[in-house]
Structure formats: structure tokens, C-alpha cells
Amino acid sequence: MIIREIVLKVTSTCNLSCKYCYVFNQGDTSFLHEPKVMNEDVIISVLQKVNNYCELHKLNNFFIVFHGGEPLIVGHEFYEKFISLSNKIIKSVKIHYTLQTNGTLLSEKWCNFFNEFNITVGVSMDGNKLSSVNRVFKNNNMEAYDKILEGYNTAKQFIQYLPILSVINTSANVSEHYQFFKKLKVPHMDCLFPDSTYEKFDKNAKHLGRWLVNLFDLWYFDKDENKPIIRIFYIIIRLLLGNEAGCELLGTAHNGVINIKSNGNIESVDSLKICGDGFARTKYNILRDELDSIKESDVFYKYYNSHQDDVLCEKCKKCIIKEICGGGLLAHRFSKANGFNNPSVYCKDLFLLISHIQNTLIDDLPEELTDKIQIQKLLNDDYN
Ligand code: SF4
Ligand code: SF4
């Protein structure tokens, strides 16, 4: 098992309280017992353990994602200290920094700071006002849409590459959704499935597959050279063409990502919190344990191997698109009765989307190429 990325929970608080948030609003209570801001002892331990890990496993590159809660809440001083400590402690590995923000606190000063320290920034924005109804302020429940948009527009003036993460809201009109992000000149966006387990499945998300198929068609047949890259489609196409191993949602890749909380606890990823209170937890803490210790954790093992036969259910193992779908996100397979031994709650949606993209490529690409990569048209009957 190789870990290539840590998601650093620099704070356990946020100025928003998004209705779907797995940190605060899906039953996990860990945040109640964690420090509001990660302290210097934890930071030093993180950096030492990353350095040890990279030396041991001979890694030349490692990824650190600043995350929360809302990571801008901790102020510039936190990051200045972090990077200065990093420059002293990390020896032979190149650290790539990313920060994922809700956008409401973005300012010119922050952007200059990110540029100076070479931190890539991603903004979480669900789309237009209708798509964004689940994003609300914590103190008064008011919609945060205007503030997020203002933050994005400000940042765009100073930062060249500003990707978006959006959680799909199938009540939004697909075409308006696509045009919204095009008008904003978003270079890269991802569409995240609303997190769900069998117990929590929201019938409103039922048409997610159809919604994504419609978005794919708008995007794929759009001849505009400046259209955004939509990550989920891009990954499926690359998987079908044999150029890609996948991600935590799709494909056959291993998921070498862990979380480190503001108190130093080493956890598996946040999405697993929707399966139950404390579900992502392990017994390890960065103040006393090395990164490798998490390999002993069952929940991490399942996440790391979530696209492998060892973890997939019987239906996924036999599925005709197993190599592309990979059973979907691990958390989306959870039920109280069977644990993770289920196909994704979005199984039909994944099949619909992947088969649609596969069939579109076959119609659109030269026959020699589709013959070479050996993909054939899929029918509804192929869904097992
Ligand atoms: S901005 Fe992120 S961390 Fe804050 S409430 Fe929303 S989803 Fe949760
Ligand atoms: S489409 Fe369904 S059965 Fe097939 S791999 Fe994906 S989740 Fe499993």
C-alpha cells in the first residue's frame, strides 16, 4: 500500500453548514471533540512523518491538501508557519500543496498568498442559485451562493487556474448548470454524487444517471475549445481508452489518500462518515504513529482496495463494466445489513452513464481505434 496524499484537517470548524456536509450534518460527531485549529506540535509531527514515509518508500512527490471545515478560517499565519516548517523538515521530496475552500472568504490578499507559496486552490461551488440551495451560512441559515460567487470572481482576477468541485443537485436544469460554469470560464470541474448509503438514499437523486448523461451530451458535443474539463467524464473516457487507472469513484486504482485531523488523529476519508458516527476513525495518531500504521486499519484497507475483487460484492465482480465503474465510491455501497458488500446505491446511474459514454465513443471515434481498444456497444440488457 502506498499513500501519496494526505488531506489535512487544519480546522474542525466552518462558517457554513451545508445540508449534505459529511463533517457536520450526517451524524458524525468527531468534530465536537477536536481542536478548532491544528497546533504546531501536530504540524511538526505531520511533516516529520511525511518526510520519513517518503524516504522509506523512495517517493519524489507527495500531495498535501489543506482542508477543513473551512481552511481559510485559520488565517495566513497558519500557512506561513506551516510552509516555513515544511521547508526546514522536508528534505528530498517535492510537496505539492492544494487548498479546498468554500470560497466565501477569498480575497486579493489570499490569492497573492497562494501565488507566492505555490498553493493550488479549488473552490467548492454547486452551480447557480438553484443548484446551491444546500450551501447555507452556519449562523443564520442564509444561502451562501452570493458570497461564494463573489469569492470565485475575486479569485479569478488573480489566480489563473481555479477549478471547481460541485455536488450534483438534480433539481437544477442541466443546460443552465453547464452554461453557468462556462460563463464563469471555469477551467476544470468535478461533479460529486450526493453522499449516500442504502439507509440514507434520497429518492430525489434517483435521476442522477439521466442528469449526468444529459450533461455529458452537452459537454461532449460542445465544439468550444475553451469548455471546462469535466473530471468525471474525462476519467471515464480515459478509462475506456485504456489511458487511466481511475480515482476513488471509478476504475481500478488504489486509493492512497488519508486524512489527518486537527488533533493528529489519522483517519480514512470523510465520505465514510455517512456510514455512522466515527466510521472513518482509526486508533492511530500522527503524534506517536508513522503514516504506515494506518495499513493495519480495516476501514482503510477497504477504502484503499475499494475497486479490487477483495472488497467488491458478487454483483460488481461479475459486472460487464467492472473495470470502468469499479463499484463506485466505497461509502455509497454501505448498508447496515451487509456493510460494504453491496453495489453502489448509484449502480444503475453509473451503468447508464458509463454505457452511454461507451456507446457515444463507438459512434464518434474511428473504427480502427474502438476495435483496438476492444469496446463494444452496451445495451440495457447488459445490466445484470
Ligand atoms: S463548506 Fe465544506 S466543510 Fe463547510 S459546511 Fe460546507 S461542505 Fe461542510
Ligand atoms: S455498474 Fe453497478 S454492478 Fe456494475 S460495477 Fe458499478 S456498481 Fe457494480
PDB file of all heavy atoms in Angstrom, residues 115-141:
ATOM      1  N   ASN A 115      -0.429  32.448  -4.636  1.00  0.00           N
ATOM      2  CA  ASN A 115       0.515  32.533  -5.757  1.00  0.00           C
ATOM      3  C   ASN A 115       1.950  32.515  -5.250  1.00  0.00           C
ATOM      4  O   ASN A 115       2.808  31.820  -5.798  1.00  0.00           O
ATOM      5  CB  ASN A 115       0.264  33.807  -6.573  1.00  0.00           C
ATOM      6  CG  ASN A 115      -1.019  33.688  -7.400  1.00  0.00           C
ATOM      7  OD1 ASN A 115      -1.447  32.577  -7.719  1.00  0.00           O
ATOM      8  ND2 ASN A 115      -1.637  34.816  -7.715  1.00  0.00           N
ATOM      9  N   GLU A 116       2.189  33.272  -4.177  1.00  0.00           N
ATOM     10  CA  GLU A 116       3.553  33.353  -3.642  1.00  0.00           C
ATOM     11  C   GLU A 116       4.044  31.979  -3.170  1.00  0.00           C
ATOM     12  O   GLU A 116       5.189  31.611  -3.391  1.00  0.00           O
ATOM     13  CB  GLU A 116       3.568  34.348  -2.473  1.00  0.00           C
ATOM     14  CG  GLU A 116       4.955  34.567  -1.911  1.00  0.00           C
ATOM     15  CD  GLU A 116       4.941  35.499  -0.704  1.00  0.00           C
ATOM     16  OE1 GLU A 116       3.931  36.210  -0.474  1.00  0.00           O
ATOM     17  OE2 GLU A 116       5.955  35.471   0.036  1.00  0.00           O
ATOM     18  N   PHE A 117       3.157  31.227  -2.523  1.00  0.00           N
ATOM     19  CA  PHE A 117       3.586  29.946  -1.946  1.00  0.00           C
ATOM     20  C   PHE A 117       3.244  28.740  -2.830  1.00  0.00           C
ATOM     21  O   PHE A 117       3.363  27.605  -2.404  1.00  0.00           O
ATOM     22  CB  PHE A 117       3.000  29.778  -0.541  1.00  0.00           C
ATOM     23  CG  PHE A 117       3.627  30.722   0.445  1.00  0.00           C
ATOM     24  CD1 PHE A 117       3.011  31.918   0.768  1.00  0.00           C
ATOM     25  CD2 PHE A 117       4.861  30.432   1.003  1.00  0.00           C
ATOM     26  CE1 PHE A 117       3.606  32.806   1.655  1.00  0.00           C
ATOM     27  CE2 PHE A 117       5.468  31.302   1.899  1.00  0.00           C
ATOM     28  CZ  PHE A 117       4.839  32.504   2.222  1.00  0.00           C
ATOM     29  N   ASN A 118       2.794  29.039  -4.041  1.00  0.00           N
ATOM     30  CA  ASN A 118       2.545  27.962  -4.998  1.00  0.00           C
ATOM     31  C   ASN A 118       1.511  26.943  -4.489  1.00  0.00           C
ATOM     32  O   ASN A 118       1.731  25.739  -4.546  1.00  0.00           O
ATOM     33  CB  ASN A 118       3.880  27.272  -5.286  1.00  0.00           C
ATOM     34  CG  ASN A 118       3.944  26.838  -6.720  1.00  0.00           C
ATOM     35  OD1 ASN A 118       3.017  27.107  -7.491  1.00  0.00           O
ATOM     36  ND2 ASN A 118       5.006  26.138  -7.070  1.00  0.00           N
ATOM     37  N   ILE A 119       0.425  27.449  -3.952  1.00  0.00           N
ATOM     38  CA  ILE A 119      -0.643  26.581  -3.451  1.00  0.00           C
ATOM     39  C   ILE A 119      -1.776  26.588  -4.484  1.00  0.00           C
ATOM     40  O   ILE A 119      -2.304  27.652  -4.827  1.00  0.00           O
ATOM     41  CB  ILE A 119      -1.185  27.084  -2.088  1.00  0.00           C
ATOM     42  CG1 ILE A 119      -0.063  27.095  -1.041  1.00  0.00           C
ATOM     43  CG2 ILE A 119      -2.374  26.232  -1.613  1.00  0.00           C
ATOM     44  CD1 ILE A 119      -0.448  27.709   0.295  1.00  0.00           C
ATOM     45  N   THR A 120      -2.123  25.421  -4.997  1.00  0.00           N
ATOM     46  CA  THR A 120      -3.243  25.329  -5.936  1.00  0.00           C
ATOM     47  C   THR A 120      -4.544  25.396  -5.132  1.00  0.00           C
ATOM     48  O   THR A 120      -4.661  24.742  -4.094  1.00  0.00           O
ATOM     49  CB  THR A 120      -3.200  23.983  -6.694  1.00  0.00           C
ATOM     50  OG1 THR A 120      -1.920  23.869  -7.299  1.00  0.00           O
ATOM     51  CG2 THR A 120      -4.284  23.891  -7.747  1.00  0.00           C
ATOM     52  N   VAL A 121      -5.493  26.173  -5.628  1.00  0.00           N
ATOM     53  CA  VAL A 121      -6.741  26.360  -4.876  1.00  0.00           C
ATOM     54  C   VAL A 121      -7.914  25.794  -5.656  1.00  0.00           C
ATOM     55  O   VAL A 121      -8.026  25.992  -6.866  1.00  0.00           O
ATOM     56  CB  VAL A 121      -6.999  27.870  -4.645  1.00  0.00           C
ATOM     57  CG1 VAL A 121      -8.240  28.066  -3.782  1.00  0.00           C
ATOM     58  CG2 VAL A 121      -5.819  28.503  -3.973  1.00  0.00           C
ATOM     59  N   GLY A 122      -8.786  25.078  -4.955  1.00  0.00           N
ATOM     60  CA  GLY A 122     -10.045  24.623  -5.545  1.00  0.00           C
ATOM     61  C   GLY A 122     -11.197  25.239  -4.765  1.00  0.00           C
ATOM     62  O   GLY A 122     -11.100  25.419  -3.547  1.00  0.00           O
ATOM     63  N   VAL A 123     -12.254  25.581  -5.487  1.00  0.00           N
ATOM     64  CA  VAL A 123     -13.421  26.191  -4.827  1.00  0.00           C
ATOM     65  C   VAL A 123     -14.598  25.215  -4.906  1.00  0.00           C
ATOM     66  O   VAL A 123     -14.863  24.633  -5.958  1.00  0.00           O
ATOM     67  CB  VAL A 123     -13.799  27.531  -5.503  1.00  0.00           C
ATOM     68  CG1 VAL A 123     -15.023  28.152  -4.837  1.00  0.00           C
ATOM     69  CG2 VAL A 123     -12.621  28.501  -5.460  1.00  0.00           C
ATOM     70  N   SER A 124     -15.282  25.055  -3.774  1.00  0.00           N
ATOM     71  CA  SER A 124     -16.478  24.204  -3.763  1.00  0.00           C
ATOM     72  C   SER A 124     -17.684  25.083  -4.063  1.00  0.00           C
ATOM     73  O   SER A 124     -18.029  25.954  -3.272  1.00  0.00           O
ATOM     74  CB  SER A 124     -16.652  23.552  -2.386  1.00  0.00           C
ATOM     75  OG  SER A 124     -15.508  22.798  -2.076  1.00  0.00           O
ATOM     76  N   MET A 125     -18.269  24.865  -5.213  1.00  0.00           N
ATOM     77  CA  MET A 125     -19.414  25.682  -5.648  1.00  0.00           C
ATOM     78  C   MET A 125     -20.366  24.776  -6.424  1.00  0.00           C
ATOM     79  O   MET A 125     -19.952  24.142  -7.395  1.00  0.00           O
ATOM     80  CB  MET A 125     -18.913  26.812  -6.551  1.00  0.00           C
ATOM     81  CG  MET A 125     -20.005  27.778  -6.950  1.00  0.00           C
ATOM     82  SD  MET A 125     -19.577  28.742  -8.405  1.00  0.00           S
ATOM     83  CE  MET A 125     -18.232  29.718  -7.876  1.00  0.00           C
ATOM     84  N   ASP A 126     -21.612  24.726  -6.015  1.00  0.00           N
ATOM     85  CA  ASP A 126     -22.507  23.732  -6.619  1.00  0.00           C
ATOM     86  C   ASP A 126     -23.129  24.175  -7.937  1.00  0.00           C
ATOM     87  O   ASP A 126     -23.768  23.365  -8.619  1.00  0.00           O
ATOM     88  CB  ASP A 126     -23.614  23.355  -5.617  1.00  0.00           C
ATOM     89  CG  ASP A 126     -23.036  22.580  -4.443  1.00  0.00           C
ATOM     90  OD1 ASP A 126     -21.885  22.138  -4.547  1.00  0.00           O
ATOM     91  OD2 ASP A 126     -23.738  22.430  -3.429  1.00  0.00           O
ATOM     92  N   GLY A 127     -23.002  25.456  -8.275  1.00  0.00           N
ATOM     93  CA  GLY A 127     -23.580  25.916  -9.541  1.00  0.00           C
ATOM     94  C   GLY A 127     -24.371  27.178  -9.303  1.00  0.00           C
ATOM     95  O   GLY A 127     -24.045  27.975  -8.407  1.00  0.00           O
ATOM     96  N   ASN A 128     -25.423  27.370 -10.096  1.00  0.00           N
ATOM     97  CA  ASN A 128     -26.212  28.592  -9.970  1.00  0.00           C
ATOM     98  C   ASN A 128     -27.019  28.574  -8.662  1.00  0.00           C
ATOM     99  O   ASN A 128     -26.919  27.641  -7.868  1.00  0.00           O
ATOM    100  CB  ASN A 128     -27.096  28.785 -11.204  1.00  0.00           C
ATOM    101  CG  ASN A 128     -28.090  27.639 -11.360  1.00  0.00           C
ATOM    102  OD1 ASN A 128     -28.368  26.904 -10.416  1.00  0.00           O
ATOM    103  ND2 ASN A 128     -28.624  27.479 -12.552  1.00  0.00           N
ATOM    104  N   LYS A 129     -27.842  29.603  -8.478  1.00  0.00           N
ATOM    105  CA  LYS A 129     -28.550  29.756  -7.189  1.00  0.00           C
ATOM    106  C   LYS A 129     -29.384  28.519  -6.851  1.00  0.00           C
ATOM    107  O   LYS A 129     -29.386  28.049  -5.719  1.00  0.00           O
ATOM    108  CB  LYS A 129     -29.451  30.996  -7.275  1.00  0.00           C
ATOM    109  CG  LYS A 129     -29.664  31.672  -5.948  1.00  0.00           C
ATOM    110  CD  LYS A 129     -30.358  33.020  -6.186  1.00  0.00           C
ATOM    111  CE  LYS A 129     -30.837  33.668  -4.924  1.00  0.00           C
ATOM    112  NZ  LYS A 129     -29.836  33.970  -3.924  1.00  0.00           N
ATOM    113  N   LEU A 130     -30.040  27.971  -7.845  1.00  0.00           N
ATOM    114  CA  LEU A 130     -30.899  26.803  -7.591  1.00  0.00           C
ATOM    115  C   LEU A 130     -30.047  25.586  -7.207  1.00  0.00           C
ATOM    116  O   LEU A 130     -30.378  24.859  -6.264  1.00  0.00           O
ATOM    117  CB  LEU A 130     -31.750  26.494  -8.834  1.00  0.00           C
ATOM    118  CG  LEU A 130     -32.640  25.258  -8.718  1.00  0.00           C
ATOM    119  CD1 LEU A 130     -33.611  25.385  -7.541  1.00  0.00           C
ATOM    120  CD2 LEU A 130     -33.420  25.040 -10.013  1.00  0.00           C
ATOM    121  N   SER A 131     -28.938  25.407  -7.913  1.00  0.00           N
ATOM    122  CA  SER A 131     -28.064  24.266  -7.599  1.00  0.00           C
ATOM    123  C   SER A 131     -27.461  24.401  -6.210  1.00  0.00           C
ATOM    124  O   SER A 131     -27.045  23.421  -5.610  1.00  0.00           O
ATOM    125  CB  SER A 131     -26.901  24.186  -8.589  1.00  0.00           C
ATOM    126  OG  SER A 131     -27.368  24.001  -9.874  1.00  0.00           O
ATOM    127  N   SER A 132     -27.371  25.635  -5.712  1.00  0.00           N
ATOM    128  CA  SER A 132     -26.599  25.900  -4.484  1.00  0.00           C
ATOM    129  C   SER A 132     -27.446  26.003  -3.221  1.00  0.00           C
ATOM    130  O   SER A 132     -26.947  26.458  -2.191  1.00  0.00           O
ATOM    131  CB  SER A 132     -25.809  27.204  -4.653  1.00  0.00           C
ATOM    132  OG  SER A 132     -24.986  27.128  -5.786  1.00  0.00           O
ATOM    133  N   VAL A 133     -28.692  25.581  -3.278  1.00  0.00           N
ATOM    134  CA  VAL A 133     -29.591  25.791  -2.119  1.00  0.00           C
ATOM    135  C   VAL A 133     -29.123  25.065  -0.850  1.00  0.00           C
ATOM    136  O   VAL A 133     -29.505  25.444   0.253  1.00  0.00           O
ATOM    137  CB  VAL A 133     -31.052  25.362  -2.414  1.00  0.00           C
ATOM    138  CG1 VAL A 133     -31.736  26.345  -3.324  1.00  0.00           C
ATOM    139  CG2 VAL A 133     -31.109  23.947  -2.963  1.00  0.00           C
ATOM    140  N   ASN A 134     -28.294  24.050  -1.008  1.00  0.00           N
ATOM    141  CA  ASN A 134     -27.846  23.317   0.193  1.00  0.00           C
ATOM    142  C   ASN A 134     -26.682  23.978   0.905  1.00  0.00           C
ATOM    143  O   ASN A 134     -26.282  23.543   1.975  1.00  0.00           O
ATOM    144  CB  ASN A 134     -27.429  21.895  -0.198  1.00  0.00           C
ATOM    145  CG  ASN A 134     -28.625  21.082  -0.632  1.00  0.00           C
ATOM    146  OD1 ASN A 134     -29.665  21.130   0.013  1.00  0.00           O
ATOM    147  ND2 ASN A 134     -28.495  20.369  -1.739  1.00  0.00           N
ATOM    148  N   ARG A 135     -26.145  25.033   0.290  1.00  0.00           N
ATOM    149  CA  ARG A 135     -24.978  25.705   0.904  1.00  0.00           C
ATOM    150  C   ARG A 135     -25.469  26.929   1.667  1.00  0.00           C
ATOM    151  O   ARG A 135     -25.833  27.937   1.064  1.00  0.00           O
ATOM    152  CB  ARG A 135     -23.983  26.128  -0.171  1.00  0.00           C
ATOM    153  CG  ARG A 135     -23.479  24.954  -0.958  1.00  0.00           C
ATOM    154  CD  ARG A 135     -22.082  25.133  -1.499  1.00  0.00           C
ATOM    155  NE  ARG A 135     -21.416  23.866  -1.393  1.00  0.00           N
ATOM    156  CZ  ARG A 135     -20.229  23.686  -0.834  1.00  0.00           C
ATOM    157  NH1 ARG A 135     -19.563  24.688  -0.357  1.00  0.00           N
ATOM    158  NH2 ARG A 135     -19.713  22.492  -0.756  1.00  0.00           N
ATOM    159  N   VAL A 136     -25.462  26.829   2.982  1.00  0.00           N
ATOM    160  CA  VAL A 136     -26.010  27.925   3.806  1.00  0.00           C
ATOM    161  C   VAL A 136     -25.026  28.300   4.915  1.00  0.00           C
ATOM    162  O   VAL A 136     -24.217  27.481   5.347  1.00  0.00           O
ATOM    163  CB  VAL A 136     -27.370  27.529   4.434  1.00  0.00           C
ATOM    164  CG1 VAL A 136     -28.439  27.349   3.375  1.00  0.00           C
ATOM    165  CG2 VAL A 136     -27.256  26.273   5.278  1.00  0.00           C
ATOM    166  N   PHE A 137     -25.148  29.559   5.371  1.00  0.00           N
ATOM    167  CA  PHE A 137     -24.294  30.006   6.477  1.00  0.00           C
ATOM    168  C   PHE A 137     -24.711  29.344   7.783  1.00  0.00           C
ATOM    169  O   PHE A 137     -25.903  29.115   8.024  1.00  0.00           O
ATOM    170  CB  PHE A 137     -24.366  31.536   6.619  1.00  0.00           C
ATOM    171  CG  PHE A 137     -23.476  32.226   5.641  1.00  0.00           C
ATOM    172  CD1 PHE A 137     -24.000  32.817   4.496  1.00  0.00           C
ATOM    173  CD2 PHE A 137     -22.098  32.266   5.852  1.00  0.00           C
ATOM    174  CE1 PHE A 137     -23.169  33.444   3.578  1.00  0.00           C
ATOM    175  CE2 PHE A 137     -21.267  32.885   4.934  1.00  0.00           C
ATOM    176  CZ  PHE A 137     -21.793  33.470   3.800  1.00  0.00           C
ATOM    177  N   LYS A 138     -23.707  29.109   8.639  1.00  0.00           N
ATOM    178  CA  LYS A 138     -23.968  28.417   9.898  1.00  0.00           C
ATOM    179  C   LYS A 138     -24.774  29.291  10.862  1.00  0.00           C
ATOM    180  O   LYS A 138     -25.680  28.813  11.526  1.00  0.00           O
ATOM    181  CB  LYS A 138     -22.611  28.058  10.531  1.00  0.00           C
ATOM    182  CG  LYS A 138     -22.713  27.246  11.781  1.00  0.00           C
ATOM    183  CD  LYS A 138     -21.450  26.450  11.994  1.00  0.00           C
ATOM    184  CE  LYS A 138     -20.593  27.027  13.080  1.00  0.00           C
ATOM    185  NZ  LYS A 138     -19.314  26.372  13.204  1.00  0.00           N
ATOM    186  N   ASN A 139     -24.451  30.582  10.907  1.00  0.00           N
ATOM    187  CA  ASN A 139     -25.059  31.412  11.947  1.00  0.00           C
ATOM    188  C   ASN A 139     -26.517  31.770  11.675  1.00  0.00           C
ATOM    189  O   ASN A 139     -27.300  31.946  12.599  1.00  0.00           O
ATOM    190  CB  ASN A 139     -24.212  32.670  12.198  1.00  0.00           C
ATOM    191  CG  ASN A 139     -23.919  33.407  10.907  1.00  0.00           C
ATOM    192  OD1 ASN A 139     -24.419  33.010   9.844  1.00  0.00           O
ATOM    193  ND2 ASN A 139     -23.127  34.438  10.964  1.00  0.00           N
ATOM    194  N   ASN A 140     -26.921  31.870  10.412  1.00  0.00           N
ATOM    195  CA  ASN A 140     -28.300  32.327  10.158  1.00  0.00           C
ATOM    196  C   ASN A 140     -29.031  31.530   9.084  1.00  0.00           C
ATOM    197  O   ASN A 140     -30.136  31.890   8.676  1.00  0.00           O
ATOM    198  CB  ASN A 140     -28.300  33.806   9.760  1.00  0.00           C
ATOM    199  CG  ASN A 140     -27.405  34.037   8.548  1.00  0.00           C
ATOM    200  OD1 ASN A 140     -26.979  33.082   7.898  1.00  0.00           O
ATOM    201  ND2 ASN A 140     -27.124  35.280   8.254  1.00  0.00           N
ATOM    202  N   ASN A 141     -28.411  30.444   8.623  1.00  0.00           N
ATOM    203  CA  ASN A 141     -29.063  29.586   7.629  1.00  0.00           C
ATOM    204  C   ASN A 141     -29.325  30.285   6.287  1.00  0.00           C
ATOM    205  O   ASN A 141     -30.062  29.768   5.454  1.00  0.00           O
ATOM    206  CB  ASN A 141     -30.387  29.064   8.213  1.00  0.00           C
ATOM    207  CG  ASN A 141     -30.653  27.664   7.720  1.00  0.00           C
ATOM    208  OD1 ASN A 141     -29.730  26.929   7.387  1.00  0.00           O
ATOM    209  ND2 ASN A 141     -31.922  27.283   7.664  1.00  0.00           N
TER     210      ASN A 141
END
